[in-house]
Amino acid sequence: MTPSKNTAKRASNDPMRQDFEREALCHLNALYGAALRLTRTESEAEDLVQETVLRGWRKWHQFQRGTNCKAWLFRILTNTFINGYRRRTKEREILEAEQLGRHGERFFSKVSAQRWGDPEQGYEDHNLSPIVENALAELSTNFRTVVVLADLQSFSYKEIAEIIDCPIGTVMSRLFRARRALQEVLREHAQSYGIALAS
């Protein structure tokens, strides 16, 4: 047997890997759906899910068996998204400053994220109309995140608070304000379906 076949056999017999595949990889579609709504582009959503799965595998020894694996993965996904959003915002500030000549000859480069596979290949999410998707995309990152977790992934307030690491009251406040903002934008769309929204 060749070394590569030995390695493949050991990997397939690794109990920790089997455990990860059984407990974590079943949530790929949910992760991708959330990532798509957070990032608003397919390529960034794929990158975000891949990074989430990679980090999940690296931290799998920290996962407590018997707890909510989906919520644990969504915490990784959300933190990865928020940190990436902050980094991209900072990069944009630096690049804009560079264009305005505020950094002199300083050179800035953006390192591409590594891609190690496409576990979401072929997945398509048609649950929301383009009008609703666009309204969701217009929300701020904080508001969009809680709407995706609560209304599209059905996490409880407590689970969302743990995922985004903030008090339950903050989750409730953000969700209330996000839903109100969506309601204003989607009022006409709802009426076209015969749904009357309260003023």
Side-chain angles (χ1 to χ4, degrees):
M1 191 176 280
T2 63
S4 60
K5 287 183 180 176
N6 280 330
T7 304
K9 187 175 181 181
R10 281 198 303 273
S12 65
N13 291 332
D14 180 0
M16 188 171 172
R17 184 184 180 113
Q18 291 173 348
D19 190 35
F20 178 77
E21 289 175 353
R22 182 177 59 254
E23 297 290 329
L25 297 188
C26 60
H27 300 296
L28 287 177
N29 284 351
L31 290 168
Y32 180 70
L36 190 58
R37 291 189 172 101
L38 291 172
T39 63
R40 297 175 284 178
T41 67
E42 290 180 6
S43 61
E44 287 185 25
E46 290 168 1
D47 287 344
L48 179 56
V49 173
Q50 290 165 5
E51 183 66 20
T52 299
V53 173
L54 182 59
R55 290 183 184 202
W57 170 243
R58 287 177 177 163
K59 296 180 178 183
W60 190 240
H61 62 283
Q62 297 174 1
F63 174 68
Q64 296 179 357
R65 303 302 180 270
T67 60
N68 189 336
C69 184
K70 182 179 178 184
W72 183 77
L73 288 169
F74 267 80
R75 182 169 191 170
I76 294 172
L77 180 131
T78 305
N79 287 338
T80 303
F81 169 71
I82 290 170
N83 291 337
Y85 174 81
R86 288 178 181 150
R87 186 179 65 248
R88 284 191 304 276
T89 301
K90 193 64 178 170
E91 288 171 356
R92 190 165 50 249
E93 288 172 5
I94 293 170
L95 287 171
E96 286 171 358
E98 183 74 31
Q99 289 172 346
L100 295 172
R102 290 201 291 251
H103 287 305
E105 298 300 316
R106 181 173 161 192
F107 179 77
F108 178 82
S109 65
K110 183 177 178 181
V111 180
S112 298
Q114 292 182 337
R115 301 181 69 170
W116 53 272
D118 186 2
E120 306 77 40
Q121 189 171 9
Y123 176 81
E124 292 184 16
D125 193 333
H126 298 291
N127 292 329
L128 300 180
S129 73
I131 293 172
V132 177
E133 288 281 9
N134 290 337
L136 187 59
E138 291 301 313
L139 293 176
S140 70
T141 303
N142 287 338
F143 285 3
R144 190 165 68 249
T145 301
V146 293
V147 169
V148 168
L149 294 174
D151 295 334
L152 303 179
Q153 295 300 326
S154 303
F155 284 111
S156 67
Y157 291 146
K158 182 181 177 188
E159 288 170 328
I160 296 169
E162 290 171 357
I163 288 169
I164 64 175
D165 195 24
C166 76
I168 289 179
T170 302
V171 171
M172 295 171 72
S173 172
R174 287 181 187 175
L175 194 54
F176 174 79
R177 291 164 64 194
R179 286 172 175 166
R180 177 172 280 183
L182 285 172
Q183 187 178 36
E184 288 303 313
V185 173
L186 296 171
R187 184 176 303 281
E188 208 171 290
H189 180 62
Q191 288 171 348
S192 72
Y193 281 89
I195 301 170
L197 299 177
S199 298

